[in-house]
Amino acid sequence: MESRPLENKVALVTGSARGIGRSIAEDLASWGANQVILDVRLEDCQKTAAEIAEKYKVKTIAVQCNITVKEQVEAAQEKIAKDFGTLHILVNNAGVLKDNLLIRMKEEEWDLVLDVNLKGAFLMTQAMLRLLMKAEGGSRIVNISSVSGIVGQAGQANYSSSKAGLIGLTKVTAREYGARGVLVNAVCPGYVQTDMTGALPEKVQEELRKSVPLGRAGQVKDISRVVRFLCSEDAGFITGTVIRVDGGMATGM
Ligand SMILES: NC(=O)c1ccc[n+]([C@@H]2O[C@H](COP(=O)([O-])OP(=O)(O)OC[C@H]3O[C@@H](n4cnc5c(N)ncnc54)[C@H](O)[C@@H]3O)[C@@H](O)[C@H]2O)c1
């Protein structure tokens, strides 16, 4: 059995019912951290929470929450305070895509993506800081941005802007709460095989694969292992940074 350096810690990963978020929750649980599985999809959320509790022998709770709605985020914070009394790790992972050329992009497409990817992370961070600042031994926030937020991707005016904004939020939070023991970093995945990217046309997926110097799509574990490192003791002097995990995709950009 793996050693469990995060035993008795409590972690909240948004959008953890599936995909990269689920993999992050699993990796943190495999090191002993209790989990808040939070997602807008209730059934998937409950299933994931039950499976992780069984497999990793940690305590999990399933919380249905739309992170764009302040009242729901507040209610989630209250539930975590009541059930666990503390929070050591927040991973702002939930995100959506709604690609379109800028000239054709509907206002609703802009609003949806900015609301989930940026405002959702702001609301979560604001609410959870109350617990994170008091966590014994300090705490961590990891924001899941994207290489699209660094390089700008055609067809993704909304998505690239939201992910660039998340990098800004990461740096501000790192500066404001470093002295309170909260370390904050961003991870920028490149092209990772999940339901989100599986919905893209096969031709686009092929192009994406070709643009990766390592010659393959990322797997969810490629991302979640780096997030887990950022939540570990070994990353105790890292804050305010942006780490690309993209197989070299955005090298030199
Ligand atoms: N897959 C990639 O190639 C890739 C690349 C770069 C960045 N990312 C980022 O990684 C994160 C995870 O991506 P993924 O590929 O696993 O996506 P995914 O679509 O498989 O999973 C996202 C999860 O977020 C949840 N979610 C969506 N809106 C929500 C809301 N309003 N409130 C609560 N939960 C909500 C969904 O229900 C889903 O379970 C996203 O932020 C995405 O932008 C992914």
Side-chain angles (χ1 to χ4, degrees):
M1 188 159 158
E2 251 182 307
S3 74
R4 291 167 61 101
L6 298 177
E7 194 86 58
N8 298 324
K9 305 268 183 201
V10 179
L12 159 61
V13 183
T14 68
S16 45
R18 69 177 198 186
I20 294 172
R22 177 177 173 139
S23 185
I24 295 168
E26 289 208 34
D27 276 347
L28 295 173
S30 76
W31 277 9
N34 297 316
Q35 298 296 316
V36 181
I37 304 299
L38 182 147
D39 205 286
V40 73
R41 301 163 192 266
L42 178 61
E43 269 178 38
D44 293 349
C45 204
Q46 288 170 332
K47 188 166 172 283
T48 299
E51 287 170 3
I52 290 179
E54 161 80 21
K55 185 165 176 195
Y56 300 101
K57 311 293 175 225
V58 293
K59 184 175 171 197
T60 65
I61 57 170
V63 178
Q64 184 180 29
C65 172
N66 181 341
I67 60 165
T68 68
V69 182
K70 192 174 164 81
E71 295 71 39
Q72 293 188 24
V73 172
E74 292 288 331
Q77 193 271 350
E78 279 159 27
K79 181 158 177 55
I80 296 162
K82 186 167 147 280
D83 288 12
F84 289 111
T86 184
L87 184 68
H88 302 86
I89 295 167
L90 166 65
V91 182
N92 285 309
N93 163 80
V96 291
L97 276 180
K98 248 322 159 211
D99 292 1
N100 215 338
L101 287 178
L102 189 147
I103 206 156
R104 292 201 206 115
M105 189 169 284
K106 297 190 187 73
E107 194 179 345
E108 305 86 82
E109 291 171 333
W110 173 270
D111 286 346
L112 172 72
V113 173
L114 268 290
D115 271 3
V116 178
N117 297 6
L118 187 53
K119 183 181 162 187
F122 159 70
L123 290 176
M124 266 293 155
T125 303
Q126 194 177 51
M128 299 306 159
L129 268 171
R130 299 201 285 273
L131 292 168
L132 293 166
M133 286 191 297
K134 286 194 234 135
E136 214 182 305
S139 59
R140 307 289 162 94
I141 300 176
V142 182
N143 292 326
I144 307 301
S145 176
S146 167
V147 291
S148 180
I150 299 174
V151 305
Q153 187 69 42
Q156 295 194 328
N158 49 4
Y159 187 79
S160 291
S161 302
S162 70
K163 294 299 189 179
L166 196 50
I167 290 173
L169 180 67
T170 301
K171 293 177 181 177
V172 171
T173 317
R175 282 189 188 276
E176 286 190 9
Y177 301 98
R180 308 294 296 265
V182 189
L183 279 59
V184 191
N185 295 288
V187 168
C188 292
Y191 167 45
V192 183
Q193 250 169 2
T194 63
D195 292 332
M196 179 189 264
T197 48
L200 294 168
E202 183 47 46
K203 196 164 157 272
V204 175
Q205 294 189 47
E206 182 57 33
E207 289 298 316
L208 283 168
R209 266 191 296 276
K210 280 196 205 139
S211 68
V212 183
L214 291 187
R216 66 168 176 91
Q219 302 300 315
V220 291
K221 285 277 170 225
D222 291 319
I223 310 303
S224 55
R225 290 290 154 88
V226 176
V227 174
R228 187 173 67 177
F229 161 70
L230 286 170
C231 296
S232 72
E233 287 256 343
D234 287 346
F237 202 54
I238 303 178
T239 195
T241 61
V242 180
I243 301 183
R244 278 198 291 123
V245 187
D246 65 349
M249 196 181 192
T251 303
M253 290 180 177

mmCIF file of all heavy atoms in Angstrom, residues 76-114:
data_model
loop_
_atom_site.group_PDB
_atom_site.id
_atom_site.type_symbol
_atom_site.label_atom_id
_atom_site.label_comp_id
_atom_site.label_asym_id
_atom_site.label_seq_id
_atom_site.Cartn_x
_atom_site.Cartn_y
_atom_site.Cartn_z
ATOM 1 N N ALA A 76 -22.482 24.766 0.075
ATOM 2 C CA ALA A 76 -21.431 23.735 0.051
ATOM 3 C C ALA A 76 -20.415 24.005 1.153
ATOM 4 O O ALA A 76 -19.981 23.090 1.863
ATOM 5 C CB ALA A 76 -20.751 23.721 -1.324
ATOM 6 N N GLN A 77 -20.050 25.276 1.313
ATOM 7 C CA GLN A 77 -19.084 25.647 2.360
ATOM 8 C C GLN A 77 -19.624 25.265 3.745
ATOM 9 O O GLN A 77 -18.910 24.709 4.581
ATOM 10 C CB GLN A 77 -18.799 27.159 2.273
ATOM 11 C CG GLN A 77 -17.600 27.621 3.071
ATOM 12 C CD GLN A 77 -17.934 27.995 4.506
ATOM 13 O OE1 GLN A 77 -19.106 28.088 4.903
ATOM 14 N NE2 GLN A 77 -16.906 28.162 5.301
ATOM 15 N N GLU A 78 -20.909 25.547 3.958
ATOM 16 C CA GLU A 78 -21.517 25.233 5.255
ATOM 17 C C GLU A 78 -21.552 23.720 5.509
ATOM 18 O O GLU A 78 -21.317 23.259 6.614
ATOM 19 C CB GLU A 78 -22.932 25.819 5.342
ATOM 20 C CG GLU A 78 -22.902 27.293 5.690
ATOM 21 C CD GLU A 78 -24.182 28.030 5.312
ATOM 22 O OE1 GLU A 78 -25.239 27.382 5.256
ATOM 23 O OE2 GLU A 78 -24.099 29.256 5.059
ATOM 24 N N LYS A 79 -21.834 22.962 4.438
ATOM 25 C CA LYS A 79 -21.875 21.499 4.592
ATOM 26 C C LYS A 79 -20.482 20.957 4.945
ATOM 27 O O LYS A 79 -20.351 20.083 5.818
ATOM 28 C CB LYS A 79 -22.394 20.854 3.296
ATOM 29 C CG LYS A 79 -22.494 19.347 3.398
ATOM 30 C CD LYS A 79 -23.451 18.727 2.419
ATOM 31 C CE LYS A 79 -23.453 17.198 2.506
ATOM 32 N NZ LYS A 79 -23.713 16.658 3.840
ATOM 33 N N ILE A 80 -19.449 21.483 4.288
ATOM 34 C CA ILE A 80 -18.082 21.013 4.576
ATOM 35 C C ILE A 80 -17.698 21.380 6.011
ATOM 36 O O ILE A 80 -17.124 20.567 6.747
ATOM 37 C CB ILE A 80 -17.077 21.616 3.559
ATOM 38 C CG1 ILE A 80 -17.393 21.103 2.155
ATOM 39 C CG2 ILE A 80 -15.636 21.280 3.938
ATOM 40 C CD1 ILE A 80 -16.780 21.931 1.041
ATOM 41 N N ALA A 81 -18.054 22.606 6.426
ATOM 42 C CA ALA A 81 -17.743 23.041 7.797
ATOM 43 C C ALA A 81 -18.439 22.117 8.806
ATOM 44 O O ALA A 81 -17.852 21.737 9.819
ATOM 45 C CB ALA A 81 -18.182 24.492 7.989
ATOM 46 N N LYS A 82 -19.672 21.734 8.494
ATOM 47 C CA LYS A 82 -20.450 20.891 9.411
ATOM 48 C C LYS A 82 -19.909 19.447 9.416
ATOM 49 O O LYS A 82 -19.694 18.863 10.472
ATOM 50 C CB LYS A 82 -21.911 20.892 8.959
ATOM 51 C CG LYS A 82 -22.873 20.189 9.881
ATOM 52 C CD LYS A 82 -24.306 20.533 9.476
ATOM 53 C CE LYS A 82 -25.244 19.381 9.720
ATOM 54 N NZ LYS A 82 -25.233 18.340 8.707
ATOM 55 N N ASP A 83 -19.645 18.890 8.233
ATOM 56 C CA ASP A 83 -19.254 17.477 8.137
ATOM 57 C C ASP A 83 -17.787 17.230 8.496
ATOM 58 O O ASP A 83 -17.450 16.199 9.066
ATOM 59 C CB ASP A 83 -19.505 16.940 6.726
ATOM 60 C CG ASP A 83 -20.987 16.757 6.444
ATOM 61 O OD1 ASP A 83 -21.805 17.261 7.238
ATOM 62 O OD2 ASP A 83 -21.331 16.129 5.433
ATOM 63 N N PHE A 84 -16.910 18.155 8.113
ATOM 64 C CA PHE A 84 -15.473 17.933 8.337
ATOM 65 C C PHE A 84 -14.853 18.944 9.315
ATOM 66 O O PHE A 84 -13.812 18.683 9.890
ATOM 67 C CB PHE A 84 -14.702 18.013 7.011
ATOM 68 C CG PHE A 84 -14.933 16.850 6.084
ATOM 69 C CD1 PHE A 84 -15.628 17.023 4.897
ATOM 70 C CD2 PHE A 84 -14.442 15.588 6.373
ATOM 71 C CE1 PHE A 84 -15.827 15.957 4.012
ATOM 72 C CE2 PHE A 84 -14.636 14.516 5.507
ATOM 73 C CZ PHE A 84 -15.336 14.696 4.327
ATOM 74 N N GLY A 85 -15.422 20.135 9.378
ATOM 75 C CA GLY A 85 -14.901 21.177 10.272
ATOM 76 C C GLY A 85 -13.635 21.857 9.750
ATOM 77 O O GLY A 85 -13.111 22.774 10.397
ATOM 78 N N THR A 86 -13.136 21.429 8.613
ATOM 79 C CA THR A 86 -11.886 21.989 8.093
ATOM 80 C C THR A 86 -11.765 21.714 6.590
ATOM 81 O O THR A 86 -12.520 20.900 6.040
ATOM 82 C CB THR A 86 -10.670 21.389 8.845
ATOM 83 O OG1 THR A 86 -9.473 22.020 8.378
ATOM 84 C CG2 THR A 86 -10.541 19.886 8.624
ATOM 85 N N LEU A 87 -10.820 22.397 5.944
ATOM 86 C CA LEU A 87 -10.512 22.126 4.535
ATOM 87 C C LEU A 87 -9.046 22.487 4.282
ATOM 88 O O LEU A 87 -8.612 23.588 4.637
ATOM 89 C CB LEU A 87 -11.427 22.967 3.618
ATOM 90 C CG LEU A 87 -11.270 22.707 2.114
ATOM 91 C CD1 LEU A 87 -11.776 21.304 1.754
ATOM 92 C CD2 LEU A 87 -12.047 23.752 1.292
ATOM 93 N N HIS A 88 -8.290 21.544 3.717
ATOM 94 C CA HIS A 88 -6.858 21.779 3.482
ATOM 95 C C HIS A 88 -6.524 22.016 2.014
ATOM 96 O O HIS A 88 -5.486 22.590 1.699
ATOM 97 C CB HIS A 88 -6.033 20.572 3.968
ATOM 98 C CG HIS A 88 -6.241 20.255 5.404
ATOM 99 N ND1 HIS A 88 -7.264 19.448 5.850
ATOM 100 C CD2 HIS A 88 -5.566 20.665 6.505
ATOM 101 C CE1 HIS A 88 -7.206 19.352 7.170
ATOM 102 N NE2 HIS A 88 -6.192 20.080 7.594
ATOM 103 N N ILE A 89 -7.353 21.466 1.115
ATOM 104 C CA ILE A 89 -7.027 21.524 -0.319
ATOM 105 C C ILE A 89 -8.274 21.898 -1.110
ATOM 106 O O ILE A 89 -9.330 21.270 -0.942
ATOM 107 C CB ILE A 89 -6.507 20.145 -0.811
ATOM 108 C CG1 ILE A 89 -5.177 19.796 -0.127
ATOM 109 C CG2 ILE A 89 -6.355 20.133 -2.345
ATOM 110 C CD1 ILE A 89 -4.748 18.334 -0.313
ATOM 111 N N LEU A 90 -8.142 22.921 -1.951
ATOM 112 C CA LEU A 90 -9.215 23.256 -2.899
ATOM 113 C C LEU A 90 -8.625 23.187 -4.303
ATOM 114 O O LEU A 90 -7.616 23.839 -4.591
ATOM 115 C CB LEU A 90 -9.739 24.682 -2.650
ATOM 116 C CG LEU A 90 -10.612 25.282 -3.767
ATOM 117 C CD1 LEU A 90 -11.922 24.502 -3.941
ATOM 118 C CD2 LEU A 90 -10.923 26.762 -3.480
ATOM 119 N N VAL A 91 -9.244 22.388 -5.162
ATOM 120 C CA VAL A 91 -8.823 22.341 -6.567
ATOM 121 C C VAL A 91 -9.989 22.861 -7.408
ATOM 122 O O VAL A 91 -11.056 22.241 -7.464
ATOM 123 C CB VAL A 91 -8.430 20.913 -7.010
ATOM 124 C CG1 VAL A 91 -7.941 20.932 -8.463
ATOM 125 C CG2 VAL A 91 -7.354 20.337 -6.095
ATOM 126 N N ASN A 92 -9.786 24.030 -8.014
ATOM 127 C CA ASN A 92 -10.802 24.597 -8.903
ATOM 128 C C ASN A 92 -10.604 23.981 -10.281
ATOM 129 O O ASN A 92 -9.776 24.443 -11.075
ATOM 130 C CB ASN A 92 -10.675 26.123 -8.956
ATOM 131 C CG ASN A 92 -11.202 26.778 -7.699
ATOM 132 O OD1 ASN A 92 -12.320 26.516 -7.260
ATOM 133 N ND2 ASN A 92 -10.377 27.623 -7.084
ATOM 134 N N ASN A 93 -11.357 22.908 -10.528
ATOM 135 C CA ASN A 93 -11.171 22.122 -11.756
ATOM 136 C C ASN A 93 -12.357 22.222 -12.721
ATOM 137 O O ASN A 93 -12.163 22.110 -13.931
ATOM 138 C CB ASN A 93 -10.935 20.651 -11.358
ATOM 139 C CG ASN A 93 -11.147 19.705 -12.520
ATOM 140 O OD1 ASN A 93 -10.270 19.539 -13.370
ATOM 141 N ND2 ASN A 93 -12.328 19.096 -12.594
ATOM 142 N N ALA A 94 -13.571 22.416 -12.196
ATOM 143 C CA ALA A 94 -14.758 22.393 -13.080
ATOM 144 C C ALA A 94 -14.589 23.408 -14.203
ATOM 145 O O ALA A 94 -14.164 24.543 -13.975
ATOM 146 C CB ALA A 94 -16.021 22.695 -12.271
ATOM 147 N N GLY A 95 -14.913 22.976 -15.418
ATOM 148 C CA GLY A 95 -14.776 23.891 -16.551
ATOM 149 C C GLY A 95 -15.606 23.402 -17.717
ATOM 150 O O GLY A 95 -15.973 22.226 -17.789
ATOM 151 N N VAL A 96 -15.936 24.319 -18.615
ATOM 152 C CA VAL A 96 -16.705 23.961 -19.814
ATOM 153 C C VAL A 96 -16.091 24.622 -21.048
ATOM 154 O O VAL A 96 -15.357 25.603 -20.947
ATOM 155 C CB VAL A 96 -18.195 24.402 -19.704
ATOM 156 C CG1 VAL A 96 -18.936 23.581 -18.660
ATOM 157 C CG2 VAL A 96 -18.316 25.890 -19.404
ATOM 158 N N LEU A 97 -16.422 24.039 -22.199
ATOM 159 C CA LEU A 97 -15.998 24.553 -23.518
ATOM 160 C C LEU A 97 -17.244 24.953 -24.303
ATOM 161 O O LEU A 97 -18.245 24.249 -24.253
ATOM 162 C CB LEU A 97 -15.363 23.430 -24.335
ATOM 163 C CG LEU A 97 -13.912 23.022 -24.217
ATOM 164 C CD1 LEU A 97 -13.662 21.868 -25.183
ATOM 165 C CD2 LEU A 97 -12.990 24.170 -24.545
ATOM 166 N N LYS A 98 -17.190 26.006 -25.049
ATOM 167 C CA LYS A 98 -18.266 26.376 -25.989
ATOM 168 C C LYS A 98 -17.585 27.138 -27.122
ATOM 169 O O LYS A 98 -17.634 28.364 -27.186
ATOM 170 C CB LYS A 98 -19.253 27.317 -25.293
ATOM 171 C CG LYS A 98 -20.660 26.938 -24.966
ATOM 172 C CD LYS A 98 -21.458 26.131 -25.866
ATOM 173 C CE LYS A 98 -22.596 25.480 -25.091
ATOM 174 N NZ LYS A 98 -22.993 24.209 -25.610
ATOM 175 N N ASP A 99 -16.895 26.391 -27.993
ATOM 176 C CA ASP A 99 -16.053 27.034 -29.008
ATOM 177 C C ASP A 99 -16.868 27.656 -30.138
ATOM 178 O O ASP A 99 -17.892 27.114 -30.559
ATOM 179 C CB ASP A 99 -15.097 26.009 -29.623
ATOM 180 C CG ASP A 99 -14.047 25.524 -28.632
ATOM 181 O OD1 ASP A 99 -14.074 25.968 -27.460
ATOM 182 O OD2 ASP A 99 -13.185 24.704 -29.022
ATOM 183 N N ASN A 100 -16.368 28.757 -30.644
ATOM 184 C CA ASN A 100 -16.951 29.420 -31.809
ATOM 185 C C ASN A 100 -15.984 30.526 -32.247
ATOM 186 O O ASN A 100 -15.247 31.059 -31.413
ATOM 187 C CB ASN A 100 -18.307 30.054 -31.450
ATOM 188 C CG ASN A 100 -19.287 29.982 -32.602
ATOM 189 O OD1 ASN A 100 -18.888 29.853 -33.761
ATOM 190 N ND2 ASN A 100 -20.565 30.087 -32.284
ATOM 191 N N LEU A 101 -15.991 30.853 -33.520
ATOM 192 C CA LEU A 101 -15.183 31.999 -33.934
ATOM 193 C C LEU A 101 -15.734 33.247 -33.267
ATOM 194 O O LEU A 101 -16.951 33.390 -33.110
ATOM 195 C CB LEU A 101 -15.223 32.157 -35.456
ATOM 196 C CG LEU A 101 -14.431 31.114 -36.234
ATOM 197 C CD1 LEU A 101 -14.587 31.350 -37.729
ATOM 198 C CD2 LEU A 101 -12.960 31.124 -35.842
ATOM 199 N N LEU A 102 -14.839 34.140 -32.921
ATOM 200 C CA LEU A 102 -15.227 35.329 -32.158
ATOM 201 C C LEU A 102 -16.393 36.072 -32.814
ATOM 202 O O LEU A 102 -17.349 36.486 -32.147
ATOM 203 C CB LEU A 102 -14.005 36.242 -32.030
ATOM 204 C CG LEU A 102 -14.118 37.437 -31.095
ATOM 205 C CD1 LEU A 102 -12.762 37.717 -30.469
ATOM 206 C CD2 LEU A 102 -14.602 38.676 -31.804
ATOM 207 N N ILE A 103 -16.323 36.188 -34.137
ATOM 208 C CA ILE A 103 -17.340 36.972 -34.847
ATOM 209 C C ILE A 103 -18.732 36.340 -34.745
ATOM 210 O O ILE A 103 -19.743 37.032 -34.817
ATOM 211 C CB ILE A 103 -16.884 37.191 -36.316
ATOM 212 C CG1 ILE A 103 -17.515 38.463 -36.875
ATOM 213 C CG2 ILE A 103 -17.130 35.995 -37.198
ATOM 214 C CD1 ILE A 103 -16.716 39.068 -38.023
ATOM 215 N N ARG A 104 -18.760 35.003 -34.533
ATOM 216 C CA ARG A 104 -20.047 34.304 -34.438
ATOM 217 C C ARG A 104 -20.438 33.989 -32.995
ATOM 218 O O ARG A 104 -21.502 33.443 -32.750
ATOM 219 C CB ARG A 104 -19.974 32.968 -35.183
ATOM 220 C CG ARG A 104 -19.839 33.115 -36.658
ATOM 221 C CD ARG A 104 -20.292 31.809 -37.331
ATOM 222 N NE ARG A 104 -19.626 31.703 -38.599
ATOM 223 C CZ ARG A 104 -18.734 30.769 -38.925
ATOM 224 N NH1 ARG A 104 -18.433 29.811 -38.082
ATOM 225 N NH2 ARG A 104 -18.173 30.773 -40.105
ATOM 226 N N MET A 105 -19.550 34.273 -32.078
ATOM 227 C CA MET A 105 -19.807 33.837 -30.695
ATOM 228 C C MET A 105 -21.014 34.567 -30.095
ATOM 229 O O MET A 105 -21.072 35.791 -30.102
ATOM 230 C CB MET A 105 -18.556 34.074 -29.835
ATOM 231 C CG MET A 105 -18.666 33.458 -28.453
ATOM 232 S SD MET A 105 -17.090 33.489 -27.596
ATOM 233 C CE MET A 105 -16.228 32.141 -28.413
ATOM 234 N N LYS A 106 -21.927 33.765 -29.570
ATOM 235 C CA LYS A 106 -23.114 34.363 -28.950
ATOM 236 C C LYS A 106 -22.752 34.845 -27.541
ATOM 237 O O LYS A 106 -21.891 34.259 -26.877
ATOM 238 C CB LYS A 106 -24.235 33.330 -28.860
ATOM 239 C CG LYS A 106 -24.709 32.829 -30.201
ATOM 240 C CD LYS A 106 -25.987 32.001 -30.015
ATOM 241 C CE LYS A 106 -26.405 31.337 -31.301
ATOM 242 N NZ LYS A 106 -25.529 30.205 -31.676
ATOM 243 N N GLU A 107 -23.462 35.866 -27.111
ATOM 244 C CA GLU A 107 -23.218 36.411 -25.775
ATOM 245 C C GLU A 107 -23.396 35.306 -24.718
ATOM 246 O O GLU A 107 -22.633 35.240 -23.749
ATOM 247 C CB GLU A 107 -24.189 37.571 -25.523
ATOM 248 C CG GLU A 107 -23.820 38.415 -24.322
ATOM 249 C CD GLU A 107 -24.793 39.568 -24.110
ATOM 250 O OE1 GLU A 107 -25.580 39.889 -25.018
ATOM 251 O OE2 GLU A 107 -24.768 40.131 -23.003
ATOM 252 N N GLU A 108 -24.388 34.413 -24.951
ATOM 253 C CA GLU A 108 -24.624 33.330 -23.975
ATOM 254 C C GLU A 108 -23.419 32.387 -23.916
ATOM 255 O O GLU A 108 -23.114 31.832 -22.858
ATOM 256 C CB GLU A 108 -25.847 32.469 -24.341
ATOM 257 C CG GLU A 108 -27.147 33.213 -24.530
ATOM 258 C CD GLU A 108 -27.313 33.740 -25.947
ATOM 259 O OE1 GLU A 108 -27.718 32.980 -26.837
ATOM 260 O OE2 GLU A 108 -27.015 34.940 -26.136
ATOM 261 N N GLU A 109 -22.751 32.179 -25.065
ATOM 262 C CA GLU A 109 -21.579 31.285 -25.080
ATOM 263 C C GLU A 109 -20.430 31.927 -24.299
ATOM 264 O O GLU A 109 -19.684 31.250 -23.575
ATOM 265 C CB GLU A 109 -21.157 30.996 -26.526
ATOM 266 C CG GLU A 109 -22.177 30.141 -27.272
ATOM 267 C CD GLU A 109 -21.886 30.015 -28.766
ATOM 268 O OE1 GLU A 109 -21.260 30.924 -29.372
ATOM 269 O OE2 GLU A 109 -22.302 29.014 -29.353
ATOM 270 N N TRP A 110 -20.273 33.206 -24.456
ATOM 271 C CA TRP A 110 -19.253 33.943 -23.696
ATOM 272 C C TRP A 110 -19.568 33.863 -22.199
ATOM 273 O O TRP A 110 -18.718 33.483 -21.386
ATOM 274 C CB TRP A 110 -19.219 35.406 -24.154
ATOM 275 C CG TRP A 110 -18.318 36.255 -23.319
ATOM 276 C CD1 TRP A 110 -18.663 36.942 -22.184
ATOM 277 C CD2 TRP A 110 -16.903 36.473 -23.510
ATOM 278 N NE1 TRP A 110 -17.557 37.580 -21.654
ATOM 279 C CE2 TRP A 110 -16.479 37.315 -22.458
ATOM 280 C CE3 TRP A 110 -15.980 36.053 -24.456
ATOM 281 C CZ2 TRP A 110 -15.161 37.742 -22.337
ATOM 282 C CZ3 TRP A 110 -14.659 36.483 -24.328
ATOM 283 C CH2 TRP A 110 -14.255 37.315 -23.288
ATOM 284 N N ASP A 111 -20.819 34.197 -21.846
ATOM 285 C CA ASP A 111 -21.203 34.270 -20.429
ATOM 286 C C ASP A 111 -21.073 32.917 -19.731
ATOM 287 O O ASP A 111 -20.548 32.830 -18.622
ATOM 288 C CB ASP A 111 -22.646 34.771 -20.286
ATOM 289 C CG ASP A 111 -22.749 36.270 -20.564
ATOM 290 O OD1 ASP A 111 -21.705 36.947 -20.606
ATOM 291 O OD2 ASP A 111 -23.879 36.757 -20.744
ATOM 292 N N LEU A 112 -21.543 31.839 -20.389
ATOM 293 C CA LEU A 112 -21.503 30.520 -19.769
ATOM 294 C C LEU A 112 -20.056 30.136 -19.409
ATOM 295 O O LEU A 112 -19.759 29.723 -18.286
ATOM 296 C CB LEU A 112 -22.096 29.451 -20.702
ATOM 297 C CG LEU A 112 -21.911 28.021 -20.192
ATOM 298 C CD1 LEU A 112 -22.817 27.751 -18.989
ATOM 299 C CD2 LEU A 112 -22.170 26.990 -21.285
ATOM 300 N N VAL A 113 -19.156 30.281 -20.384
ATOM 301 C CA VAL A 113 -17.775 29.834 -20.179
ATOM 302 C C VAL A 113 -17.057 30.706 -19.130
ATOM 303 O O VAL A 113 -16.367 30.191 -18.247
ATOM 304 C CB VAL A 113 -17.023 29.793 -21.535
ATOM 305 C CG1 VAL A 113 -15.546 29.502 -21.335
ATOM 306 C CG2 VAL A 113 -17.656 28.724 -22.431
ATOM 307 N N LEU A 114 -17.277 32.013 -19.207
ATOM 308 C CA LEU A 114 -16.662 32.894 -18.195
ATOM 309 C C LEU A 114 -17.248 32.621 -16.809
ATOM 310 O O LEU A 114 -16.523 32.637 -15.808
ATOM 311 C CB LEU A 114 -16.866 34.374 -18.579
ATOM 312 C CG LEU A 114 -15.758 35.050 -19.407
ATOM 313 C CD1 LEU A 114 -14.492 35.248 -18.565
ATOM 314 C CD2 LEU A 114 -15.411 34.317 -20.680
#
